[in-house]
Amino acid sequence: MRIKAKAKGDKTEVKVMMKHPMLSYREAKKKGKEANFIVYVTAKNEGAVVYEVSTSQFLSKNPYMKFYFKGGKKGEEVEITWVDLKGKTKTGKAKIK
Amino acid sequence: MERRKFLGMGAGMVAVLAAPSMLMATNYREKLPEVWKIKNDEKAKGEDMAGVNAAIKAIFGSDKVEEGKVKLKAPDIAENGAVVPVSFKAEGAKKIALMQTADPEAVVAIFDVPERGIPDYSVRIKMQQTGHVVVVAEIDGKLYKAEKVVKVTVGGCGG
């Protein structure tokens, strides 16, 4: 997972690229594989949830997301966690610049 | 706030339950499992809104939707339907749903806006064919919608 977080005045901008094939049911069938895709993503800053999305098979491969949240200071951490359809979960962290 | 239940996702749930601060969150895959199955009419070639309208009702509990307050950016023409950049803003929104008419099912993503969240989001989506991208936001208990047609030249859903 690649995360870039940047303090911009009273808010923080976050860009994240998650590594995941995001195989839709149709794509999976074509490839003879099982469908699997990220279904839920959250981001936290200093323990507080600041971003939350439930997702589907129709996000592009290696999903990219950009979002903002209120507050966040240079040097603090942003922690992003995803869960996929099979229950695999991954967490990445980055310091706010 | 009602206590959220995180049942039925097998091993992944163990990991989620291990993170106490996430218990306040809403995983719509768990809360509304049926909305992800709402189909678009594929024979309508991206022109059928029935799936999206059913999804709005299922997600927000109402289909009374006004225009305005939501700003949506998406390309007029997407050369590659596998990667269509979509951005939207809806000041004051508590919940936002992103949908389309181009793929087998209507719902792409559902955002809950946390206390410190700013509803100004960008994602990249797959569109199998030309269709409507629809964003609905709940602001002060009312629903607002923005919609845009994206012309897809090469489909991106393995179809």
Side-chain angles (χ1 to χ4, degrees):
Chain A
M1 199 180 322
R2 290 214 321 261
I3 306 169
K4 274 187 187 171
K6 201 173 180 188
K8 289 190 168 180
D10 58 356
K11 63 183 179 182
T12 300
E13 178 193 76
V14 181
K15 293 176 188 169
V16 56
M17 176 87 79
M18 291 160 265
K19 209 175 168 211
H20 200 286
M22 299 300 282
L23 271 188
S24 72
Y25 289 101
R26 195 161 287 185
E27 286 164 333
K29 202 176 167 189
K30 228 179 166 182
K31 291 184 178 175
K33 290 182 181 171
E34 270 186 81
N36 194 20
F37 44 88
I38 291 171
V39 295
Y40 187 57
V41 180
T42 52
K44 286 195 273 185
N45 167 234
E46 302 297 302
V49 174
V50 292
Y51 177 75
E52 187 187 1
V53 60
S54 303
T55 54
S56 73
Q57 52 181 331
F58 305 126
L59 286 187
S60 305
K61 180 184 168 184
N62 298 332
Y64 166 86
M65 294 177 179
K66 186 171 105 175
F67 59 91
Y68 299 86
F69 64 85
K70 291 171 197 161
K73 291 188 185 75
K74 220 172 158 175
E76 287 181 358
E77 241 172 30
V78 172
E79 183 187 301
I80 296 176
T81 302
W82 59 250
V83 182
D84 73 14
L85 196 63
K86 291 183 187 275
K88 188 184 169 190
T89 178
K90 205 150 213 176
T91 297
K93 289 176 187 179
K95 283 228 156 63
I96 299 173
K97 283 184 180 166
Chain B
M1 182 180 265
E2 69 171 291
R3 189 164 173 266
R4 310 295 186 196
K5 287 181 180 168
F6 285 93
L7 299 173
M9 260 187 72
M13 279 307 96
V14 177
V16 173
L17 287 169
S21 60
M22 287 177 78
L23 282 173
M24 293 301 285
T26 308
N27 179 335
Y28 287 96
R29 184 71 51 181
E30 294 304 303
K31 195 187 175 195
L32 300 172
E34 296 306 314
V35 307
W36 307 94
K37 297 175 190 163
I38 295 172
K39 298 229 176 273
N40 285 317
D41 179 359
E42 290 192 68
K43 285 178 198 146
K45 299 199 185 304
E47 283 302 324
D48 177 53
M49 301 304 291
V52 166
N53 290 336
I56 293 169
K57 184 108 199 232
I59 294 165
F60 296 98
S62 165
D63 52 8
K64 222 183 127 197
V65 183
E66 296 171 37
E67 300 289 327
K69 296 209 180 188
V70 180
K71 283 182 190 151
L72 166 64
K73 260 197 226 168
D76 296 322
I77 297 172
E79 277 174 28
N80 180 4
V83 186
V84 182
V86 174
S87 302
F88 41 92
K89 275 188 206 179
E91 215 184 310
K94 292 276 174 272
K95 193 198 285 189
I96 301 176
L98 171 64
M99 296 155 289
Q100 43 57 43
T101 61
D103 295 332
E105 288 87 23
V107 180
V108 178
I110 306 172
F111 299 76
D112 254 4
V113 185
E115 204 183 315
R116 284 174 56 204
I118 298 174
D120 179 349
Y121 299 141
S122 302
V123 293
R124 291 172 183 165
I125 69 170
K126 291 181 225 172
M127 292 178 78
Q128 184 177 295
Q129 58 182 342
T130 296
H132 298 246
V133 174
V134 180
V135 174
V136 171
E138 187 181 310
I139 303 170
D140 297 327
K142 283 187 180 172
L143 301 183
Y144 296 91
K145 182 175 88 166
E147 188 176 332
K148 182 160 189 207
V149 174
V150 176
K151 191 169 184 275
V152 175
T153 41
V154 181
C157 205

